[in-house]
Amino acid sequence: MTMLRSLFLSLLCLLPAMAGAQASAPVECVVPSKPGGAMDLTCKLAKKGLAQEGAAGVAAPMRISYLPGGIGAVAWHSMGSQRRRAEANTLVAFSGGSLLNLAQGKFGNAKAGDVRWVAALGADYGMIAVRSDSPYKTLADLIAALRQHPDKVLIGVSGTIGSQDWLKMALLARHAGIDPKVLRFVALEGGGEVFTAMQADYVQVVSGDTSEATLNASANHARVLAVLSDKRLPGVLANVPTAREQGFDVVWPIIRGVWMGPQVPEADYQRWVATFERVMATPQFAEWRAQAGLYPFALTGPKLTTYVKKAVDDYARQANELGLMR
């Protein structure tokens, strides 16, 4: 009896350590695209914030892994698999493009409620860029070339027809009276690959995001012709006019954040929500967010979940109007 009692007490002593084992496990942020794009940037921003916070059971620096394929579908289904759906220390980057893909059924039968939405880390905007030595100096120059010889201008986008990068250019073309169907799009995997393709002159134009453009413009690799925001943006792109200023009324905001698997325990989910709330409230995080080319937009937990579900519904309506729904 004494031996059994000692064993029982020993097990009781082990329970706190067992409960904390998962919390102190290595933290991973999954980038659902190839390195170098805005999804990659999202995980790197989260990594900086968590290193500063030193909480949420982060036992070591966050590990960033890459799981490209299917414009995010591979990562979505991998994290939804039985093997990974309850991983308490794995975060996955997402964007407005992820929500658009959900709305159009590009992740199969997946729904917004199939995962746990943790935090929106900032806002991004669409943009149109060309190489720094391109003959197109303004958005009007590019539109004129597309009107005259649409077959000679290759436009690099992350994703296929119906992706957010495709939609940005399609909306600009439609506003200019050009049928988007005559444009030549080249589908690539992630913003990093798109900019690499432009530097190699495989494509002449990039329809992408301001965060990606910030990284490339600062290295003089690209000329941004227009930002798809309602007003000019601060920072590296401060001198770039909006599409509206140039006579094209197209605005495209983009949310950037992280989610977790659907069966992550409630306590772990709430731990991450609280951690990101603390991280995003610090001046240091605001500075890092600005350096990443992102703008203030902070939502967590239930409020973010509500936002995401509404956004998916809105994207579905827009896609249906453009005849993109299956």
Side-chain angles (χ1 to χ4, degrees), residues 8-307:
F8 178 71
L9 289 174
S10 297
L11 288 172
L12 284 179
C13 290
L14 283 173
L15 285 177
M18 292 170 65
Q22 197 170 30
S24 61
V27 177
E28 178 183 8
C29 189
V30 177
V31 178
S33 64
K34 293 183 178 180
M39 292 288 201
D40 192 3
L41 181 150
T42 301
C43 278
K44 288 175 178 175
L45 179 59
K47 181 176 181 177
K48 280 187 176 181
L50 293 176
Q52 172 194 241
E53 170 69 13
V58 180
M62 171 186 279
R63 180 172 70 91
I64 296 177
S65 61
Y66 299 90
L67 198 55
I71 53 175
V74 171
W76 181 278
H77 291 298
S78 174
M79 292 307 301
S81 68
Q82 198 62 42
R83 184 175 64 86
R84 305 199 66 180
R85 59 196 289 117
E87 291 182 6
N89 274 356
T90 300
L91 304 163
V92 185
F94 79 91
S95 72
S98 310
L99 308 186
L100 179 62
N101 292 335
L102 273 175
Q104 295 181 69
K106 292 190 175 182
F107 292 172
N109 294 322
K111 301 290 186 295
D114 292 348
V115 302
R116 311 202 74 170
W117 303 94
V118 180
L121 306 183
D124 204 347
Y125 291 92
M127 65 85 219
I128 305 299
V130 295
R131 278 174 39 144
S132 55
D133 59 355
S134 170
Y136 311 128
K137 308 297 183 184
T138 66
L139 185 58
D141 290 343
L142 174 60
I143 294 298
L146 291 174
R147 281 199 183 103
Q148 190 170 6
H149 297 294
D151 58 317
K152 294 183 179 180
V153 183
L154 297 181
I155 304 164
V157 296
S158 177
T160 55
I161 292 176
S163 70
Q164 66 169 347
D165 287 352
W166 183 93
L167 276 169
K168 295 165 197 170
M169 199 66 229
L171 289 171
L172 283 169
R174 193 171 69 167
H175 194 281
I178 302 171
D179 183 354
K181 293 178 182 178
V182 305
L183 302 182
R184 294 186 64 191
F185 291 96
V186 177
L188 298 161
E189 186 73 44
E193 188 170 279
V194 174
F195 271 93
T196 298
M198 184 170 71
Q199 292 312 308
D201 204 28
Y202 180 55
V203 299
Q204 289 74 55
V205 182
V206 164
S207 174
D209 307 327
T210 54
S211 57
E212 297 163 348
T214 297
L215 297 175
N216 288 273
S218 61
N220 296 318
H221 290 161
R223 177 190 301 131
V224 182
L225 301 182
V227 291
L228 306 185
S229 53
D230 53 356
K231 58 184 179 181
R232 290 202 185 193
L233 301 172
V236 174
L237 304 180
N239 294 325
V240 178
T242 66
R244 275 182 173 173
E245 285 180 70
Q246 301 176 75
F248 303 90
D249 191 14
V250 177
V251 175
W252 193 276
I254 304 159
I255 183 177
R256 297 210 173 277
V258 291
W259 56 264
M260 307 184 77
Q263 291 184 354
V264 170
E266 181 67 18
D268 291 298
Y269 173 67
Q270 292 300 334
R271 169 171 57 87
W272 280 111
V273 167
T275 296
F276 277 105
E277 286 174 350
R278 291 194 300 272
V279 166
M280 294 190 292
T282 64
Q284 182 64 71
F285 183 83
E287 183 179 328
W288 286 330
R289 181 180 58 212
Q291 290 172 357
L294 299 181
Y295 304 91
F297 186 82
L299 284 179
T300 58
K303 289 183 179 179
L304 174 60
T305 302
T306 298
Y307 174 93

